[in-house]
Amino acid sequence: MNLKLANNILFTLFVLTAAALIIILLYPPKFNQSVSSQPLASLENSKNAIKATFWNVYPSIVIPNDDQLISDTMTLERNDGKTFLLKELVGKKNKLILRYSSYDCEICVDSVLSKVQLLKGKNAAELLILTDAKTERDFLIKTQNKDHPYNVYLMQNGNLNLTMEGKGFPYLFVLTKDFRATKIFIPFKELSYQTEQYLSYVFKFLNK
């Protein structure tokens, strides 16, 4: 290969490289933008679907349970084997109740408890956690290895007789000192800010 031919090849490569750079600068590819926006759009669609689900169930499930009477003689078992009546645990103060089932999403329950722990350090309000279990052994296994400081009580004689029972999601409510359910809330882990807002409001209400 003579020197002139080599120079021509180098010049051609230089021109092609320069042209490619100019095209990229003037017309940047759009695939990065579309790829990165897809997860955000998917997340937003998921949140919107959850919000729609909540508002769909709110009129038929949440509202009818407001101010419903809860039996104060319900028997509850702690994971150390001791039993209590609900009225012994509630006393003469309103209490925040977290009700979940052994069939509910454990991640959802843990998400709620993490928010409670975050806010409860600034509040004196107490939390009662009520659950059911497939077997007593199942209850003991799940509650003895818990990562939160709250006692979990097994409901021995039925449920709370609310229409929200058995719907596949945990829920929170305030149990008044005259044993009525109020301020009912369904938490979703995907909308954790709503849970924080609810708990902040409820703790202020309980500490009046």
Side-chain angles (χ1 to χ4, degrees), residues 100-127:
Y100 74 91
S101 169
S102 57
Y103 297 96
D104 290 343
C105 165
E106 289 188 34
I107 297 176
C108 301
V109 176
D110 291 341
S111 175
V112 173
L113 290 172
S114 67
K115 298 300 179 185
V116 172
Q117 283 185 261
L118 183 65
L119 293 172
K120 197 182 178 217
K122 304 175 183 178
N123 299 276
E126 293 183 27
L127 171 71

Side-chain angles (χ1 to χ4, degrees), residues 38-76:
Q38 285 179 0
L40 294 177
S42 177
L43 178 61
E44 192 61 31
N45 289 338
S46 175
K47 288 184 177 181
N48 289 336
I50 292 168
K51 289 178 182 178
T53 300
F54 174 76
W55 290 116
N56 284 337
V57 302
Y58 188 84
S60 60
I61 296 180
V62 177
I63 293 178
N65 289 286
D66 190 54
D67 204 40
Q68 287 295 308
L69 190 64
I70 304 293
S71 173
D72 62 351
T73 58
M74 174 179 291
T75 303
L76 303 169

Side-chain angles (χ1 to χ4, degrees), residues 166-177:
K167 295 298 187 293
F169 48 74
Y171 58 92
L172 292 152
F173 68 95
V174 171
L175 183 62
T176 64
K177 54 189 176 183

Side-chain angles (χ1 to χ4, degrees), residues 123-191:
N123 299 276
E126 293 183 27
L127 171 71
L128 291 180
I129 305 176
L130 308 182
T131 188
D132 52 41
K134 301 169 189 175
T135 63
E136 188 166 343
R137 181 175 180 274
D138 178 63
F139 168 70
L140 293 175
I141 290 173
K142 288 184 176 180
T143 56
Q144 287 178 346
N145 297 322
K146 57 186 170 53
D147 295 325
H148 56 81
Y150 311 111
N151 288 318
V152 181
Y153 296 90
L154 176 66
M155 298 186 298
Q156 289 189 334
N157 48 346
N159 56 42
L160 298 177
N161 292 321
L162 300 176
T163 58
M164 298 176 67
E165 295 284 310
K167 295 298 187 293
F169 48 74
Y171 58 92
L172 292 152
F173 68 95
V174 171
L175 183 62
T176 64
K177 54 189 176 183
D178 56 350
F179 291 89
R180 293 189 178 275
T182 187
K183 306 189 185 307
I184 301 167
F185 177 76
I186 303 172
F188 294 99
K189 66 180 187 300
E190 295 85 353
L191 303 174

